[in-house]
Amino acid sequence: MSISTTLSSINQITKEITRLEKALLDETKKEADITKKINSTKKSITKNTSVSTVNSKLGQIERYENDLVKTLNKKTDITKKIAQKREKLNSLNQKLQKEEQVESKRRQKEQEKVQKNYENRIDELTAQLKNNVSSNISEVGINTLDETLFEEKYDVFISHASEDKESFVRELADTLMKDYNIKVWYDEFSIKWGDSLRKSIDKGLKSSKFGIVIISKSFIKKGWTNYELDGLFQKEMTYGKTILPIWHDITKDEVQDFSPSLAGRKALNTSMYTIKEIAEELKNILDE
């Protein structure tokens, strides 16, 4: 039985218990009403009451007492059913607890697997970066390498999904450049007609001090964004802090599922920070 099925059973039994408790309350009120009628009828019999009237009232009392017995039997039956339902509810709650523990262990194993895959990927990227650096050194010499590979022409590279341009990214890039004089690599401004997309992105990644990563639902589904993110991770492994994450219309659980390492970093959230506040934060980092 799955957690959702168990929860459904718990909700159903809880509703049944509520219904039975209401029925028990109704029978309790009925019991009180019948008892009141019996006592009232008994009090109405006095020394001056005629024999025929006494017999009539005694017959009425007998009928009330029969109704009272039926009500007490119903109460006993309902009480028994409530006890059975509560016992079953307790059993289901224990079952739910065990199922949740199993599910928690399963998720933990999946997270550990994701983390392991991520660490392996970082190792692969690190080895690839070292090979690339060695190759560049052998081909162009250390002096040329200093001028080309490590030259920083941009303050920040913006990695994003195209679906987020209208809602956030384009305005962020405009604000950083026009209002804060920050040099930004942004595809709409930096890639010219006829340029190689991959080469332009590689050049932008190598030539930027930091990489702003706009993590959104669209971002985590894209191939290009993952390519850019791998490049930023490569650079960070060599030069230190490079990636500056921004969460845009996405939850922590969704980021966690995509990349545990990114979920563990301090990020700015567009639901809490305005574009101006984000720009101020970046400006402070660049001024350090």
Side-chain angles (χ1 to χ4, degrees), residues 13 36 51 58 92 167 182 194 209 229 234 255 268-269:
I13 292 179
K36 184 177 179 181
V51 175
L58 289 175
L92 284 171
S167 62
I182 293 174
K209 296 177 182 177
L229 187 58
Q234 282 188 10
V255 179
L268 303 185
N269 197 317

Short mmCIF file of all heavy atoms in Angstrom, two decimals, residues 13 36 51 58 92 167 182 194 209 229 234 255 268-269:
data_model
loop_
_atom_site.label_atom_id
_atom_site.label_comp_id
_atom_site.label_asym_id
_atom_site.label_seq_id
_atom_site.Cartn_x
_atom_site.Cartn_y
_atom_site.Cartn_z
N ILE A 13 -11.54 6.77 7.30
CA ILE A 13 -11.89 6.29 8.64
C ILE A 13 -12.13 7.44 9.59
O ILE A 13 -13.03 7.40 10.44
CB ILE A 13 -10.79 5.34 9.17
CG1 ILE A 13 -10.78 4.05 8.36
CG2 ILE A 13 -11.00 5.03 10.65
CD1 ILE A 13 -9.72 3.06 8.77
N LYS A 36 -36.28 12.10 30.77
CA LYS A 36 -37.02 13.24 31.27
C LYS A 36 -38.54 12.97 31.20
O LYS A 36 -39.29 13.30 32.13
CB LYS A 36 -36.66 14.48 30.47
CG LYS A 36 -37.31 15.76 30.96
CD LYS A 36 -36.83 16.95 30.14
CE LYS A 36 -37.50 18.24 30.60
NZ LYS A 36 -37.06 19.41 29.80
N VAL A 51 -57.67 5.29 38.88
CA VAL A 51 -57.05 4.03 38.52
C VAL A 51 -56.85 3.92 37.02
O VAL A 51 -55.80 3.50 36.53
CB VAL A 51 -57.92 2.84 39.02
CG1 VAL A 51 -57.35 1.52 38.54
CG2 VAL A 51 -58.02 2.85 40.54
N LEU A 58 -48.93 4.32 33.38
CA LEU A 58 -47.97 3.22 33.52
C LEU A 58 -47.67 2.59 32.16
O LEU A 58 -46.52 2.19 31.87
CB LEU A 58 -48.52 2.16 34.48
CG LEU A 58 -48.57 2.57 35.96
CD1 LEU A 58 -49.25 1.47 36.78
CD2 LEU A 58 -47.18 2.85 36.49
N LEU A 92 -3.40 2.08 10.98
CA LEU A 92 -3.04 2.76 9.74
C LEU A 92 -2.00 3.85 9.97
O LEU A 92 -1.11 4.06 9.15
CB LEU A 92 -4.29 3.36 9.10
CG LEU A 92 -5.21 2.36 8.38
CD1 LEU A 92 -6.52 3.03 7.97
CD2 LEU A 92 -4.53 1.76 7.15
N SER A 167 10.28 38.03 -18.79
CA SER A 167 9.83 38.21 -17.41
C SER A 167 10.91 38.78 -16.49
O SER A 167 10.59 39.38 -15.47
CB SER A 167 9.33 36.88 -16.84
OG SER A 167 10.39 35.93 -16.81
N ILE A 182 28.12 47.99 -15.48
CA ILE A 182 28.72 46.66 -15.33
C ILE A 182 28.82 46.01 -16.71
O ILE A 182 27.86 46.04 -17.48
CB ILE A 182 27.87 45.79 -14.38
CG1 ILE A 182 27.93 46.35 -12.95
CG2 ILE A 182 28.35 44.33 -14.38
CD1 ILE A 182 27.01 45.64 -11.96
N GLY A 194 25.63 35.46 -37.48
CA GLY A 194 26.59 34.58 -38.12
C GLY A 194 27.64 34.00 -37.19
O GLY A 194 28.41 33.13 -37.59
N LYS A 209 34.31 37.44 -15.12
CA LYS A 209 34.74 37.21 -13.74
C LYS A 209 33.76 36.30 -13.01
O LYS A 209 34.17 35.41 -12.27
CB LYS A 209 34.83 38.54 -13.00
CG LYS A 209 35.88 39.50 -13.54
CD LYS A 209 35.85 40.81 -12.77
CE LYS A 209 36.86 41.81 -13.33
NZ LYS A 209 36.77 43.12 -12.63
N LEU A 229 26.43 25.93 -17.55
CA LEU A 229 26.65 25.66 -16.13
C LEU A 229 27.88 24.78 -15.93
O LEU A 229 28.68 25.01 -15.02
CB LEU A 229 25.41 24.98 -15.54
CG LEU A 229 25.41 24.78 -14.01
CD1 LEU A 229 25.56 26.11 -13.30
CD2 LEU A 229 24.12 24.11 -13.57
N GLN A 234 33.56 24.38 -14.23
CA GLN A 234 34.96 24.18 -14.58
C GLN A 234 35.81 25.35 -14.10
O GLN A 234 36.85 25.18 -13.47
CB GLN A 234 35.11 24.05 -16.10
CG GLN A 234 34.72 22.68 -16.65
CD GLN A 234 35.07 22.57 -18.12
OE1 GLN A 234 35.75 23.43 -18.67
NE2 GLN A 234 34.60 21.52 -18.76
N VAL A 255 15.05 22.91 -7.18
CA VAL A 255 16.49 23.16 -7.34
C VAL A 255 17.27 21.98 -6.76
O VAL A 255 18.27 21.53 -7.32
CB VAL A 255 16.90 24.47 -6.64
CG1 VAL A 255 18.41 24.70 -6.78
CG2 VAL A 255 16.15 25.64 -7.23
N LEU A 268 19.95 34.52 -4.54
CA LEU A 268 18.96 35.59 -4.49
C LEU A 268 17.70 35.09 -5.18
O LEU A 268 17.77 34.42 -6.20
CB LEU A 268 19.49 36.85 -5.18
CG LEU A 268 20.79 37.43 -4.64
CD1 LEU A 268 21.13 38.75 -5.34
CD2 LEU A 268 20.71 37.65 -3.14
N ASN A 269 16.55 35.43 -4.62
CA ASN A 269 15.27 34.96 -5.15
C ASN A 269 14.49 36.14 -5.70
O ASN A 269 14.31 37.15 -5.01
CB ASN A 269 14.48 34.26 -4.04
CG ASN A 269 13.36 33.41 -4.59
OD1 ASN A 269 12.64 33.81 -5.50
ND2 ASN A 269 13.19 32.23 -4.02
#
